[in-house]
Amino acid sequence: MSIGVTRYFIDAHAHIMTEKRNRGGLRWAHRMIKDFHSPQETDPEKLLSHATSCGADYLFNLFYPLRAGETRTIHQWQYQFATKHPEVIPFASIHPADEDKIGILTEALDVLGMAGVKIHPYVQEFDLLDPRMEEVYSYIEARQCPLLIHSGFARFYGLPSMVEQVDTFLKRYPRMKVVLVHMLWPDREIEFCKDYLEAYPSLYLDITNTACLVQEHPGQSEMLRSFIARYSHRMLAGSDFPMSAAYPVSSVYQAIYNVCPDRESAENVCWRTAVHLVGAERFIGLNLT
């Protein structure tokens, strides 16, 4: 890999989508982020090539519906893209207004072989505790497949913090294999996440974007390093590419490595935790010996 520091790098948070959605996502990012830099490409093949040339050996690909009725089409596209590119690990999603939500997810997990489910309550415009999602959460908890939940950066979206909803959610579904994407930062200080990890053994934290942006806050940066030293086996990271916090994406990967206090924690955050989360059998060519 190009950063040349860990055995593998698994980008556990990428959004390579159809060209139409890539265009829309990048337009949105340019509106939302001052001085946003991104590749000029929207072709999914070229975006994937950029990520792998920058050091990603594998990617968790997250592509979620913005409205009801498009989820199955997205899942089919994800399946075809991942079939063509085995380094891509596709994740399913769902919209609260979808009909037959359990049928859609069962097909995605059992027929299309997706690794888990990703939801983004802010962008998908629903409350984490929306009653329409209760059957989905119960199903995912029973299946013990990972659920990746966007959390944190409430001010960026101009929306209320999800801290209280996350507290309630974890109490309702204590055995669910949950990944708190962005680890609720900066809405909840890093040190308080230890209470989550101690209380919920199936909980993981994703430091995507946090690893880059925390560098602007020296005290928080040191706190994150100390936290990783203790909990790296429960932490993973990615780039949010192509809506990354920095560009080229190799700089994001390097920032993730840099925030790790030692080689062992870097190996965990950069790939081992991701493998443990979804199973080594999904990573063709991965050598654990």
Side-chain angles (χ1 to χ4, degrees):
M1 58 176 293
S2 59
I3 68 171
V5 286
T6 58
R7 184 171 183 178
Y8 295 108
F9 195 97
I10 297 174
D11 186 331
H13 190 135
H15 299 287
I16 298 176
M17 305 176 286
T18 61
E19 191 153 12
K20 180 180 179 180
R21 274 290 295 272
N22 289 332
R23 285 197 302 269
L26 290 171
R27 282 197 302 269
W28 172 84
H30 279 285
R31 288 198 305 271
M32 296 289 285
I33 304 170
K34 183 181 179 181
D35 300 324
F36 175 71
H37 297 285
S38 69
Q40 300 302 309
E41 297 292 345
T42 56
D43 179 89
E45 300 282 343
K46 293 178 180 178
L47 291 174
L48 176 61
S49 178
H50 176 79
T52 55
S53 68
C54 284
D57 297 292
Y58 306 91
L59 300 92
F60 286 5
N61 204 37
L62 315 176
F63 185 180
Y64 44 81
L66 299 179
R67 59 189 65 83
E70 64 180 10
T71 308
R72 277 195 166 100
T73 300
I74 287 172
H75 287 173
Q76 285 293 331
W77 185 90
Q78 277 268 64
Y79 171 74
Q80 292 168 11
F81 190 61
T83 298
K84 186 176 180 181
H85 300 286
E87 67 271 30
V88 172
I89 313 300
F91 275 68
S93 189
I94 202 71
H95 192 281
D98 277 330
E99 297 182 1
D100 190 26
K101 288 189 279 292
I102 302 306
I104 291 172
L105 290 177
T106 299
E107 178 183 69
L109 297 171
D110 292 343
V111 179
L112 303 181
M114 297 195 177
V117 182
K118 162 67 186 296
I119 58 172
H120 197 317
Y122 286 156
V123 174
Q124 292 181 284
E125 299 182 338
F126 70 93
D127 190 285
L128 179 62
L129 303 177
D130 189 320
R132 296 174 296 173
M133 294 292 285
E134 289 176 0
E135 63 173 335
V136 169
Y137 299 148
S138 295
Y139 174 80
I140 291 173
E141 185 176 42
R143 291 280 311 235
Q144 278 295 289
C145 67
L147 176 65
L148 280 58
I149 304 173
H150 172 96
S151 65
F153 297 105
R155 183 179 296 181
F156 174 79
Y157 293 96
L159 294 168
S161 165
M162 291 173 60
V163 169
E164 291 185 6
Q165 289 94 330
V166 168
D167 287 344
T168 301
F169 179 89
L170 293 175
K171 290 173 184 175
R172 286 184 185 176
Y173 306 98
R175 294 178 298 279
M176 189 185 294
K177 190 184 290 186
V178 173
V179 180
L180 291 182
V181 176
H182 311 303
M183 60 184 298
L184 271 172
W185 192 81
D187 306 339
R188 166 156 281 172
E189 295 225 355
I190 292 165
E191 62 182 302
F192 292 107
C193 287
K194 70 178 184 295
D195 296 333
Y196 284 153
L197 293 177
E198 296 295 337
Y200 304 106
S202 297
L203 179 69
Y204 296 79
L205 301 175
D206 165 24
I207 63 170
T208 297
N209 289 346
T210 306
C212 291
L213 298 177
V214 77
Q215 296 177 80
E216 302 171 8
H217 309 270
Q220 288 283 297
S221 183
E222 286 307 308
M223 189 179 296
L224 181 58
R225 287 174 64 82
S226 297
F227 197 83
I228 291 171
R230 182 174 180 183
Y231 295 109
S232 64
H233 62 293
R234 305 271 295 279
M235 303 176 76
L236 61 163
S239 63
D240 230 340
F241 182 71
M243 278 72 74
S244 305
Y247 182 78
V249 75
S250 57
S251 65
V252 179
Y253 299 159
Q254 187 67 55
I256 292 164
Y257 176 80
N258 289 345
V259 80
C260 295
D262 52 59
R263 178 61 179 259
E264 181 68 17
S265 65
E267 295 285 347
N268 286 338
V269 171
C270 291
W271 68 276
R272 283 201 197 108
T273 305
V275 171
H276 179 72
L277 181 70
V278 300
E281 66 280 358
R282 292 188 176 275
F283 302 90
I284 296 175
L286 187 78
N287 184 2
L288 296 179
T289 60

